[in-house]
Amino acid sequence: MLSLQEIKQQTLPHISDLVVDKWGHQLGEETVLEAYDWVVEVIYDYHRVYEPYQSIKRGDVEHFFEIWCDQFFADPAPAEPHDEWGAPLKEAN
């Protein structure tokens, strides 16, 4: 069973790679650290409750990172319907 420190050490390189793969170097350090903290917390909770990890793989981190991205970058308001050019659709009278 991994300790929290071991999970942090094994998660950091994967988060760094995933951020660069997805956005290049466009995200600020603060946002990357927020993602890292969230993913570590979720992996640690999953590790304690469901299935003890022997090691943290990129796929494990990527799964929870994608969930964080969906929550962090999600559009909070429902979008209006748009045409193929991005203009709002007008109702036909």
Side-chain angles (χ1 to χ4, degrees), residues 35-56:
Y36 167 71
D37 289 340
W38 189 88
V39 170
V40 164
E41 183 178 330
V42 172
I43 286 178
Y44 186 64
D45 288 346
Y46 186 88
H47 169 73
R48 290 183 307 149
V49 173
Y50 296 106
E51 178 182 337
Y53 287 104
Q54 300 305 316
S55 67
I56 305 298

Side-chain angles (χ1 to χ4, degrees), residues 1-13 36 39-41 43-45 47-48 53 56 61:
M1 190 163 163
L2 297 173
S3 69
L4 179 59
Q5 187 62 31
E6 290 171 320
I7 290 173
K8 285 182 173 187
Q9 288 173 342
Q10 293 183 27
T11 302
L12 184 58
Y36 167 71
V39 170
V40 164
E41 183 178 330
I43 286 178
Y44 186 64
D45 288 346
H47 169 73
R48 290 183 307 149
Y53 287 104
I56 305 298
V61 175

Side-chain angles (χ1 to χ4, degrees), residues 1 13 19 23 28 33 38 41 44-46 50 53 59 61 63 67 69 78 83-84 88 91 93:
M1 190 163 163
V19 167
W23 291 290
L33 288 175
W38 189 88
E41 183 178 330
Y44 186 64
D45 288 346
Y46 186 88
Y50 296 106
Y53 287 104
V61 175
H63 172 73
I67 293 170
C69 290
D83 65 13
E84 64 271 9
E91 290 185 25
N93 291 333

